[in-house]
Amino acid sequence: MTGSCELLCIDMEKAEDLRRARLEQPAAESVAALAAALGDPTRIALARALADGGELCVCDLSWIVERSEKLVSHHLRKMRTAGVARSRRDGKMVMYEVTPAGRALLDVLLPAGEVHA
């Protein structure tokens, strides 16, 4: 069985309604970039720590996810650029938190009670 139809049979009314309602390319690219921002095990772990712990600095996050501060900073920069995390300076420290968009994406990726070790 292949993934293509052997007979062209379009439900034109439904297909046209869905075609008009589809995401435009820029919006689809934006959503894909947001999803890709958590497409790495370290970034998932960082987002989860931020969602559970609120604002945290790189030192805390590095210890929590057991990765180097340099690597954590790199991933946080990607997350911030994509809009799933934000930062603010507090004196000499930079504090990070997950954004509402990041939290919503994390809720989809890690539904409560459905993630197994």
Side-chain angles (χ1 to χ4, degrees), residues 4 15 40 48 81 114:
S4 61
D40 176 273
R48 178 69 181 265
T81 298
E114 292 186 30

Side-chain angles (χ1 to χ4, degrees), residues 60-71:
D60 289 331
L61 288 164
S62 177
W63 190 85
I64 292 165
V65 300
E66 300 182 57
R67 303 286 190 275
S68 73
E69 287 183 27
K70 186 175 181 177
L71 181 64

Side-chain angles (χ1 to χ4, degrees), residues 53-110:
E55 279 192 324
L56 296 165
C57 70
V58 173
C59 299
D60 289 331
L61 288 164
S62 177
W63 190 85
I64 292 165
V65 300
E66 300 182 57
R67 303 286 190 275
S68 73
E69 287 183 27
K70 186 175 181 177
L71 181 64
V72 167
S73 291
H74 164 77
H75 283 296
L76 287 168
R77 192 169 32 259
K78 286 184 169 282
M79 292 168 65
R80 198 179 66 233
T81 298
V84 297
R86 63 178 159 234
S87 64
R88 69 173 182 84
R89 185 162 289 283
D90 184 9
K92 291 186 178 189
M93 295 174 51
V94 178
M95 304 300 290
Y96 290 87
E97 68 179 337
V98 71
T99 62
R103 186 175 298 277
L105 183 57
L106 197 59
D107 287 344
V108 169
L109 296 173
L110 300 173

Side-chain angles (χ1 to χ4, degrees), residues 18-34:
L18 292 169
R19 190 175 193 171
R20 280 189 295 276
R22 75 175 183 230
L23 283 176
E24 294 297 326
Q25 190 64 24
E29 289 170 2
S30 177
V31 171
L34 187 65

